[in-house]
Each structure stands twice: as C-alpha cells, then as structure tokens.
Amino acid sequence: MEQAGSLSARGSTGSVAPEIRTASVRVPAQARGADVERERGVASDESRSAAGARGEHTHSEPPIPHPRVETARSVEAARPVETARPVVQRASVRGQILDALRTALVAGELAPGQVYSAPVLGERFGVSATPVREAMQQLALEGAVEVVPNRGFRVVRRGTRELAELAEIRALLEVPVVLRLARTVPAARWAELRPLAEAAARAASAGCRATYAECDRAFHHAVLALAGNDQLVQIADDLHRRAQWPLVGGPVPRGRADLMADAAEHLALLDALTAQDLPAVQSLVREHFADN
C-alpha cells in the first residue's frame, strides 16, 4: 500500500478532530464551479448557500489549498495551459473515496464519536461533497457511521461485546465451510492461496494495521470463495470488515506482534489444508477465530 495522504475534519462543536490519514487512493480533483470562483478571487455565494441548506457547517473551517495546476508553454503562445487529466467516472470516484474512508476507519484515523461533514472531507480529497456523501451513506448502511441531521456523519462507538458477537457469528459461518473444504479441495488449489497469506505476513511484519486488514480480508475471501457460494462470501466479508473497525474503551489496538501471530496462523492453516490434516485444520481454524 502506498503512503497515505492526510485529512482532518472539525466537529459541529468547533473542536478540532484528530488528523486523519486517508488510504493510498489518490483521487483526481474534480472541476467545480466553486474552485473556478476561488481562483478568480470571488467568493462562491452559491456554494455557501448550498452547504447551508444541507445544514453542514463549513464556514469555520480554514481554507484548504487546492492542488497546483501543472503548466506547459505553447509553441505559438507563451501562456500557461492546463495539462490533460484522466477522466474519472463518478462511480469510480465514489468507490475510491469509500475505500479510503474504510481504510481510515480500520486504521483508527476516523475517531469514534467524531462528526465529519462531507464538504470538508471533499475539500481534502479534492472532490465535490457529492461522492463523499454517497460513500458515507454506504458506510451508514454498513453500520460504521450514523447520520447526524444538519451536521454530517458521526463514527459509531463500538464496544468489546459487539466485537465478540461478530467473532462468534463469523466462526459459525466459516469454520464448517473450511472443514468441508479441507476434505474436498486438492492441495494444488490451497497452494494458489499462499501468495495471499505471504502478503498478509509482510504487512504484519511492517506493522501496518490498515494494510494487514486488507490482506486478511483478501485471504479469508479467497478461502471461502472455494465453496462456490457467493452469498456466503458476501455476508462473511461484511462481517469481517465490521470486526476490523476500532473500539471505544476496548483493548489497545493490535500491534505488530499480534498481527504477525495472526498472519502465522494463516500460513499454518494452509500447511494443514495442503496436508489434509483434518484435526490440525479444525484446531487452527477455531483458534484463529477465538483470537479475533
């Protein structure tokens, strides 16, 4: 994963939220009317009134510099011209913003209980508020944030009980499937998953929680996909993602040693699956979910 950029937001009370490092996704800035007016030194009354209509407070936020436009000299006229930028479809922008926000959640950079407004986050991503708002609404459907009328979105506070319940449900779904696959999937297929387990081990060794969380989900997704049940994979992936969100008042976030131990269980499980050692598979997979 590439190094992340940073963003921050203010709560509705005026307090400064902790600095947030976004995901590795770099979202090209979208051209907006408000941006053009700022470049001309003219205040955008229309943008302020639109934000006010939604009740999202942005007037107290400090102005954020926009990316510098690269220039080139024309042979015919020595005047600056904008270089061509790749065209990004709205669905692509929304997806990239959603991935960035999910990564920030996993890394604990979106603080539980803090309110974030779409216009402010959009400024820091270099896009309009619309794709940010759509991404946050998706996170609201997933239970990661909740809508706060006239203010924005608040990151949901979660406790250890919710985490334990998620782990129990994941075990009920995944353990029987893995045990069934251990009896039917040939060793060559399990060998194909080793690069995913090794990628998770490298992320764990680096101590990057966000990168490890992504690799961890990819490994579990690939294992369950061998069952050929798309609905199972989708439900399990959603539960896994929710289990990775930060806790409030819970244990200290998992450090490098914890991540490495978790990644080692993936490799040990693959070894047992390849050898079709069913007792070892059962022991390892149950222990894996108990630890999580």
Side-chain angles (χ1 to χ4, degrees), residues 129-174:
T130 300
V132 176
R133 188 176 295 107
E134 291 172 346
M136 294 295 269
Q137 288 170 345
Q138 176 60 38
L139 290 178
L141 291 176
E142 296 175 5
V145 301
E146 57 187 5
V147 178
V148 181
N150 301 324
R151 294 172 62 188
F153 300 85
R154 178 186 292 115
V155 178
V156 172
R157 295 177 179 271
R158 302 170 60 245
T160 54
R161 177 175 179 176
E162 180 179 348
L163 183 62
E165 291 173 347
L166 288 170
E168 181 180 4
I169 297 173
R170 289 185 62 210
L172 290 172
L173 286 175
E174 297 191 38

Short mmCIF file of all heavy atoms in Angstrom, two decimals, residues 129-174:
data_model
loop_
_atom_site.label_atom_id
_atom_site.label_comp_id
_atom_site.label_asym_id
_atom_site.label_seq_id
_atom_site.Cartn_x
_atom_site.Cartn_y
_atom_site.Cartn_z
N ALA A 129 -18.50 17.44 -2.65
CA ALA A 129 -19.08 16.77 -1.48
C ALA A 129 -19.95 15.58 -1.86
O ALA A 129 -20.15 14.67 -1.05
CB ALA A 129 -19.91 17.77 -0.66
N THR A 130 -20.44 15.55 -3.11
CA THR A 130 -21.39 14.50 -3.51
C THR A 130 -20.84 13.09 -3.39
O THR A 130 -21.46 12.23 -2.73
CB THR A 130 -21.90 14.76 -4.94
OG1 THR A 130 -22.56 16.03 -4.97
CG2 THR A 130 -22.87 13.67 -5.36
N PRO A 131 -19.68 12.74 -4.00
CA PRO A 131 -19.20 11.37 -3.84
C PRO A 131 -18.83 11.02 -2.41
O PRO A 131 -18.95 9.86 -1.99
CB PRO A 131 -17.97 11.31 -4.77
CG PRO A 131 -17.55 12.73 -4.93
CD PRO A 131 -18.81 13.53 -4.87
N VAL A 132 -18.38 12.02 -1.63
CA VAL A 132 -18.06 11.77 -0.22
C VAL A 132 -19.34 11.45 0.53
O VAL A 132 -19.39 10.51 1.33
CB VAL A 132 -17.36 12.98 0.42
CG1 VAL A 132 -17.12 12.75 1.90
CG2 VAL A 132 -16.05 13.27 -0.29
N ARG A 133 -20.39 12.22 0.28
CA ARG A 133 -21.66 11.98 0.96
C ARG A 133 -22.22 10.60 0.59
O ARG A 133 -22.74 9.88 1.44
CB ARG A 133 -22.67 13.08 0.58
CG ARG A 133 -23.97 13.03 1.38
CD ARG A 133 -24.89 14.19 1.03
NE ARG A 133 -24.30 15.46 1.43
CZ ARG A 133 -23.80 16.36 0.59
NH1 ARG A 133 -23.81 16.11 -0.71
NH2 ARG A 133 -23.30 17.49 1.03
N GLU A 134 -22.11 10.22 -0.69
CA GLU A 134 -22.60 8.91 -1.11
C GLU A 134 -21.80 7.79 -0.43
O GLU A 134 -22.37 6.77 -0.02
CB GLU A 134 -22.48 8.79 -2.63
CG GLU A 134 -23.46 9.71 -3.38
CD GLU A 134 -23.21 9.71 -4.87
OE1 GLU A 134 -22.12 9.23 -5.30
OE2 GLU A 134 -24.07 10.20 -5.62
N ALA A 135 -20.49 7.98 -0.31
CA ALA A 135 -19.66 6.97 0.35
C ALA A 135 -20.01 6.87 1.83
O ALA A 135 -20.10 5.77 2.39
CB ALA A 135 -18.18 7.32 0.18
N MET A 136 -20.23 8.01 2.48
CA MET A 136 -20.59 7.99 3.90
C MET A 136 -21.96 7.36 4.11
O MET A 136 -22.19 6.67 5.12
CB MET A 136 -20.56 9.42 4.46
CG MET A 136 -19.19 10.06 4.49
SD MET A 136 -18.05 9.20 5.62
CE MET A 136 -18.33 10.09 7.14
N GLN A 137 -22.86 7.55 3.16
CA GLN A 137 -24.18 6.92 3.28
C GLN A 137 -24.06 5.41 3.17
O GLN A 137 -24.79 4.67 3.85
CB GLN A 137 -25.11 7.48 2.20
CG GLN A 137 -25.56 8.91 2.47
CD GLN A 137 -26.28 9.54 1.29
OE1 GLN A 137 -26.22 9.02 0.17
NE2 GLN A 137 -26.95 10.65 1.52
N GLN A 138 -23.13 4.93 2.35
CA GLN A 138 -22.89 3.50 2.28
C GLN A 138 -22.32 2.98 3.60
O GLN A 138 -22.72 1.92 4.09
CB GLN A 138 -21.91 3.18 1.14
CG GLN A 138 -21.51 1.71 1.04
CD GLN A 138 -22.70 0.79 0.81
OE1 GLN A 138 -23.62 1.14 0.07
NE2 GLN A 138 -22.68 -0.38 1.43
N LEU A 139 -21.41 3.75 4.19
CA LEU A 139 -20.86 3.36 5.50
C LEU A 139 -21.96 3.36 6.57
O LEU A 139 -21.92 2.57 7.51
CB LEU A 139 -19.74 4.31 5.90
CG LEU A 139 -18.43 4.19 5.10
CD1 LEU A 139 -17.42 5.23 5.57
CD2 LEU A 139 -17.85 2.78 5.21
N ALA A 140 -22.94 4.26 6.41
CA ALA A 140 -24.06 4.29 7.36
C ALA A 140 -24.89 3.00 7.23
O ALA A 140 -25.34 2.44 8.23
CB ALA A 140 -24.93 5.51 7.12
N LEU A 141 -25.08 2.53 5.99
CA LEU A 141 -25.80 1.27 5.79
C LEU A 141 -25.05 0.10 6.40
O LEU A 141 -25.65 -0.86 6.88
CB LEU A 141 -26.01 1.03 4.29
CG LEU A 141 -26.98 1.98 3.57
CD1 LEU A 141 -27.00 1.68 2.08
CD2 LEU A 141 -28.38 1.88 4.15
N GLU A 142 -23.71 0.18 6.40
CA GLU A 142 -22.89 -0.89 6.95
C GLU A 142 -22.77 -0.79 8.47
O GLU A 142 -22.25 -1.71 9.11
CB GLU A 142 -21.49 -0.84 6.32
CG GLU A 142 -21.51 -1.11 4.82
CD GLU A 142 -20.14 -0.93 4.18
OE1 GLU A 142 -19.17 -0.68 4.94
OE2 GLU A 142 -20.02 -1.06 2.96
N GLY A 143 -23.24 0.33 9.04
CA GLY A 143 -23.19 0.48 10.48
C GLY A 143 -21.93 1.13 11.01
O GLY A 143 -21.73 1.20 12.22
N ALA A 144 -21.08 1.63 10.11
CA ALA A 144 -19.82 2.25 10.55
C ALA A 144 -20.03 3.67 11.05
O ALA A 144 -19.33 4.14 11.95
CB ALA A 144 -18.80 2.25 9.42
N VAL A 145 -20.97 4.39 10.43
CA VAL A 145 -21.26 5.76 10.83
C VAL A 145 -22.76 5.93 10.93
O VAL A 145 -23.53 5.08 10.48
CB VAL A 145 -20.69 6.80 9.81
CG1 VAL A 145 -19.18 6.66 9.67
CG2 VAL A 145 -21.37 6.65 8.45
N GLU A 146 -23.18 7.04 11.54
CA GLU A 146 -24.60 7.34 11.61
C GLU A 146 -24.81 8.78 11.16
O GLU A 146 -23.95 9.65 11.35
CB GLU A 146 -25.12 7.16 13.04
CG GLU A 146 -24.39 7.99 14.08
CD GLU A 146 -24.83 7.64 15.50
OE1 GLU A 146 -25.62 6.69 15.65
OE2 GLU A 146 -24.40 8.33 16.44
N VAL A 147 -25.95 9.00 10.52
CA VAL A 147 -26.26 10.33 10.00
C VAL A 147 -26.66 11.24 11.15
O VAL A 147 -27.48 10.88 11.99
CB VAL A 147 -27.40 10.27 8.96
CG1 VAL A 147 -27.74 11.68 8.47
CG2 VAL A 147 -27.00 9.37 7.80
N VAL A 148 -26.04 12.43 11.20
CA VAL A 148 -26.40 13.44 12.18
C VAL A 148 -27.03 14.60 11.40
O VAL A 148 -26.32 15.33 10.70
CB VAL A 148 -25.17 13.94 12.96
CG1 VAL A 148 -25.57 14.98 14.00
CG2 VAL A 148 -24.44 12.77 13.61
N PRO A 149 -28.35 14.79 11.47
CA PRO A 149 -29.02 15.83 10.69
C PRO A 149 -28.38 17.20 10.89
O PRO A 149 -28.04 17.59 12.00
CB PRO A 149 -30.46 15.79 11.22
CG PRO A 149 -30.63 14.40 11.73
CD PRO A 149 -29.30 14.02 12.31
N ASN A 150 -28.19 17.88 9.78
CA ASN A 150 -27.66 19.25 9.76
C ASN A 150 -26.20 19.35 10.22
O ASN A 150 -25.71 20.45 10.42
CB ASN A 150 -28.51 20.19 10.62
CG ASN A 150 -29.95 20.24 10.17
OD1 ASN A 150 -30.24 20.18 8.96
ND2 ASN A 150 -30.87 20.32 11.11
N ARG A 151 -25.54 18.22 10.37
CA ARG A 151 -24.14 18.28 10.82
C ARG A 151 -23.21 17.42 9.98
O ARG A 151 -22.12 17.85 9.62
CB ARG A 151 -24.05 17.85 12.29
CG ARG A 151 -24.73 18.81 13.26
CD ARG A 151 -24.77 18.22 14.66
NE ARG A 151 -23.42 18.01 15.20
CZ ARG A 151 -23.19 17.37 16.34
NH1 ARG A 151 -24.19 16.86 17.03
NH2 ARG A 151 -21.95 17.21 16.78
N GLY A 152 -23.60 16.20 9.63
CA GLY A 152 -22.73 15.33 8.87
C GLY A 152 -22.91 13.89 9.28
O GLY A 152 -24.02 13.39 9.39
N PHE A 153 -21.79 13.21 9.53
CA PHE A 153 -21.80 11.80 9.87
C PHE A 153 -20.91 11.56 11.08
O PHE A 153 -19.78 12.03 11.13
CB PHE A 153 -21.30 10.96 8.69
CG PHE A 153 -22.13 11.12 7.44
CD1 PHE A 153 -21.87 12.16 6.56
CD2 PHE A 153 -23.16 10.25 7.16
CE1 PHE A 153 -22.63 12.33 5.42
CE2 PHE A 153 -23.93 10.40 6.02
CZ PHE A 153 -23.67 11.44 5.14
N ARG A 154 -21.43 10.81 12.05
CA ARG A 154 -20.66 10.50 13.25
C ARG A 154 -20.18 9.05 13.19
O ARG A 154 -20.95 8.14 12.90
CB ARG A 154 -21.50 10.70 14.51
CG ARG A 154 -20.74 10.33 15.80
CD ARG A 154 -21.62 10.38 17.03
NE ARG A 154 -22.03 11.74 17.35
CZ ARG A 154 -23.28 12.18 17.31
NH1 ARG A 154 -24.26 11.36 16.96
NH2 ARG A 154 -23.56 13.42 17.62
N VAL A 155 -18.91 8.83 13.49
CA VAL A 155 -18.36 7.49 13.55
C VAL A 155 -18.95 6.78 14.77
O VAL A 155 -18.92 7.31 15.88
CB VAL A 155 -16.82 7.51 13.65
CG1 VAL A 155 -16.26 6.10 13.75
CG2 VAL A 155 -16.23 8.24 12.44
N VAL A 156 -19.49 5.60 14.54
CA VAL A 156 -20.20 4.86 15.60
C VAL A 156 -19.21 4.38 16.66
O VAL A 156 -18.11 3.92 16.36
CB VAL A 156 -20.96 3.67 15.00
CG1 VAL A 156 -21.54 2.78 16.10
CG2 VAL A 156 -22.05 4.15 14.07
N ARG A 157 -19.61 4.50 17.92
CA ARG A 157 -18.83 3.96 19.03
C ARG A 157 -19.18 2.49 19.21
O ARG A 157 -20.34 2.13 19.28
CB ARG A 157 -19.14 4.73 20.32
CG ARG A 157 -18.73 6.21 20.29
CD ARG A 157 -19.13 6.88 21.58
NE ARG A 157 -18.75 8.29 21.61
CZ ARG A 157 -17.58 8.73 22.05
NH1 ARG A 157 -16.69 7.86 22.52
NH2 ARG A 157 -17.29 10.02 22.05
N ARG A 158 -18.15 1.65 19.29
CA ARG A 158 -18.35 0.22 19.41
C ARG A 158 -17.63 -0.31 20.64
O ARG A 158 -16.61 0.24 21.05
CB ARG A 158 -17.84 -0.50 18.16
CG ARG A 158 -18.49 -0.02 16.89
CD ARG A 158 -17.78 -0.59 15.66
NE ARG A 158 -17.80 -2.04 15.65
CZ ARG A 158 -16.71 -2.79 15.76
NH1 ARG A 158 -15.53 -2.22 15.90
NH2 ARG A 158 -16.79 -4.10 15.72
N GLY A 159 -18.14 -1.39 21.20
CA GLY A 159 -17.53 -1.97 22.39
C GLY A 159 -17.08 -3.40 22.17
O GLY A 159 -17.28 -3.99 21.10
N THR A 160 -16.47 -3.98 23.20
CA THR A 160 -15.94 -5.34 23.10
C THR A 160 -17.04 -6.38 22.92
O THR A 160 -16.80 -7.42 22.31
CB THR A 160 -15.11 -5.67 24.35
OG1 THR A 160 -15.92 -5.45 25.52
CG2 THR A 160 -13.87 -4.80 24.43
N ARG A 161 -18.23 -6.11 23.45
CA ARG A 161 -19.31 -7.09 23.31
C ARG A 161 -19.69 -7.25 21.85
O ARG A 161 -19.90 -8.39 21.38
CB ARG A 161 -20.53 -6.64 24.12
CG ARG A 161 -21.72 -7.58 23.96
CD ARG A 161 -22.88 -7.22 24.86
NE ARG A 161 -24.01 -8.12 24.65
CZ ARG A 161 -25.13 -8.08 25.35
NH1 ARG A 161 -25.28 -7.19 26.32
NH2 ARG A 161 -26.10 -8.93 25.10
N GLU A 162 -19.78 -6.15 21.12
CA GLU A 162 -20.12 -6.24 19.70
C GLU A 162 -19.05 -7.02 18.94
O GLU A 162 -19.35 -7.83 18.06
CB GLU A 162 -20.28 -4.84 19.10
CG GLU A 162 -20.64 -4.86 17.61
CD GLU A 162 -20.82 -3.47 17.03
OE1 GLU A 162 -20.88 -2.50 17.82
OE2 GLU A 162 -20.88 -3.36 15.79
N LEU A 163 -17.78 -6.77 19.27
CA LEU A 163 -16.69 -7.48 18.61
C LEU A 163 -16.78 -8.98 18.88
O LEU A 163 -16.57 -9.81 17.99
CB LEU A 163 -15.35 -6.94 19.09
CG LEU A 163 -14.10 -7.54 18.44
CD1 LEU A 163 -14.10 -7.27 16.95
CD2 LEU A 163 -12.85 -7.00 19.08
N ALA A 164 -17.10 -9.36 20.12
CA ALA A 164 -17.23 -10.78 20.48
C ALA A 164 -18.39 -11.43 19.74
O ALA A 164 -18.30 -12.59 19.28
CB ALA A 164 -17.42 -10.92 21.98
N GLU A 165 -19.49 -10.69 19.59
CA GLU A 165 -20.65 -11.23 18.87
C GLU A 165 -20.32 -11.44 17.39
O GLU A 165 -20.72 -12.45 16.79
CB GLU A 165 -21.83 -10.27 19.02
CG GLU A 165 -22.40 -10.23 20.43
CD GLU A 165 -23.46 -9.16 20.61
OE1 GLU A 165 -23.59 -8.28 19.72
OE2 GLU A 165 -24.16 -9.18 21.64
N LEU A 166 -19.58 -10.51 16.80
CA LEU A 166 -19.19 -10.65 15.40
C LEU A 166 -18.27 -11.86 15.22
O LEU A 166 -18.41 -12.61 14.24
CB LEU A 166 -18.49 -9.38 14.92
CG LEU A 166 -19.39 -8.15 14.71
CD1 LEU A 166 -18.53 -6.91 14.48
CD2 LEU A 166 -20.33 -8.37 13.54
N ALA A 167 -17.34 -12.04 16.15
CA ALA A 167 -16.43 -13.18 16.06
C ALA A 167 -17.19 -14.50 16.15
O ALA A 167 -16.88 -15.47 15.44
CB ALA A 167 -15.38 -13.10 17.16
N GLU A 168 -18.21 -14.54 17.01
CA GLU A 168 -19.00 -15.76 17.16
C GLU A 168 -19.76 -16.08 15.88
O GLU A 168 -19.80 -17.24 15.42
CB GLU A 168 -19.98 -15.61 18.32
CG GLU A 168 -20.84 -16.84 18.56
CD GLU A 168 -21.81 -16.66 19.72
OE1 GLU A 168 -21.85 -15.55 20.29
OE2 GLU A 168 -22.52 -17.63 20.05
N ILE A 169 -20.35 -15.04 15.27
CA ILE A 169 -21.10 -15.27 14.04
C ILE A 169 -20.18 -15.71 12.91
O ILE A 169 -20.50 -16.62 12.14
CB ILE A 169 -21.86 -13.99 13.63
CG1 ILE A 169 -22.89 -13.62 14.71
CG2 ILE A 169 -22.56 -14.19 12.29
CD1 ILE A 169 -23.55 -12.29 14.48
N ARG A 170 -19.01 -15.07 12.83
CA ARG A 170 -18.05 -15.45 11.79
C ARG A 170 -17.61 -16.90 11.95
O ARG A 170 -17.48 -17.64 10.97
CB ARG A 170 -16.83 -14.53 11.84
CG ARG A 170 -17.09 -13.11 11.36
CD ARG A 170 -15.78 -12.32 11.35
NE ARG A 170 -14.84 -12.93 10.41
CZ ARG A 170 -13.52 -12.88 10.55
NH1 ARG A 170 -12.99 -12.28 11.61
NH2 ARG A 170 -12.74 -13.44 9.65
N ALA A 171 -17.40 -17.33 13.17
CA ALA A 171 -16.98 -18.70 13.41
C ALA A 171 -18.08 -19.68 13.00
O ALA A 171 -17.81 -20.73 12.40
CB ALA A 171 -16.62 -18.90 14.89
N LEU A 172 -19.34 -19.35 13.31
CA LEU A 172 -20.45 -20.22 12.94
C LEU A 172 -20.56 -20.38 11.43
O LEU A 172 -20.95 -21.45 10.93
CB LEU A 172 -21.76 -19.65 13.49
CG LEU A 172 -21.94 -19.71 15.01
CD1 LEU A 172 -23.19 -18.94 15.43
CD2 LEU A 172 -22.02 -21.16 15.47
N LEU A 173 -20.20 -19.32 10.69
CA LEU A 173 -20.28 -19.37 9.23
C LEU A 173 -19.06 -20.04 8.60
O LEU A 173 -19.18 -20.90 7.73
CB LEU A 173 -20.42 -17.96 8.67
CG LEU A 173 -21.77 -17.26 8.80
CD1 LEU A 173 -21.67 -15.84 8.29
CD2 LEU A 173 -22.84 -18.02 8.03
N GLU A 174 -17.88 -19.63 9.03
CA GLU A 174 -16.67 -20.00 8.32
C GLU A 174 -16.08 -21.35 8.73
O GLU A 174 -15.53 -22.07 7.89
CB GLU A 174 -15.61 -18.90 8.47
CG GLU A 174 -16.04 -17.58 7.85
CD GLU A 174 -14.91 -16.57 7.76
OE1 GLU A 174 -13.77 -16.98 7.48
OE2 GLU A 174 -15.16 -15.37 7.97
#
